[in-house]
Amino acid sequence: MEKLEVGEIFTITDENEQEQEVEVLGTVNIEGTEYAAVGFVEDLQQGGEEDIDVFFLKIDHEGDLAFIESDEEFEKVSNAFDEMMDEEE
């Protein structure tokens, strides 16, 4: 997979083997690792920022996506993304 761009839409398979379309909301690089913040397209189309579930995917060196597995890593990425969004406002 090439570098993800904001607004790009792709399909992932969730833990229940269901395919879901997600849209890239932003990317952030932390200590040399790239992460993408994504939201479900269906939620984004319905509007209302409070209703959007945002989650993060890790992008490995080969461009493959992986779910974040530890709470510590999730907190680190979530905080970095929040800071990035605050700077853009």
Side-chain angles (χ1 to χ4, degrees):
M1 180 174 276
E2 297 177 20
K3 181 168 174 50
L4 293 175
E5 300 292 331
V6 173
E8 186 173 339
I9 296 174
F10 59 94
T11 303
I12 61 170
T13 303
D14 66 17
E15 64 274 355
N16 299 321
E17 301 300 316
Q18 299 291 317
E19 289 189 346
Q20 300 281 337
E21 280 194 326
V22 294
E23 181 176 337
V24 177
L25 304 174
T27 60
V28 64
N29 188 307
I30 302 172
E31 300 170 3
T33 301
E34 193 78 21
Y35 297 89
V38 298
F40 292 112
V41 171
E42 185 177 316
D43 292 347
L44 295 169
Q45 290 173 343
Q46 292 176 1
E49 288 186 25
E50 294 83 29
D51 301 323
I52 298 172
D53 288 329
V54 175
F55 59 99
F56 303 97
L57 299 171
K58 183 189 304 188
I59 306 167
D60 69 16
H61 298 293
E62 292 152 13
D64 294 327
L65 301 171
F67 290 102
I68 295 174
E69 296 182 11
S70 74
D71 291 339
E72 294 81 18
E73 186 176 17
F74 178 84
E75 276 298 314
K76 179 172 65 173
V77 175
S78 180
N79 290 335
F81 187 75
D82 286 345
E83 287 176 23
M84 182 185 76
M85 296 305 291
D86 288 344
E87 289 174 7
E88 290 180 3
E89 290 181 357

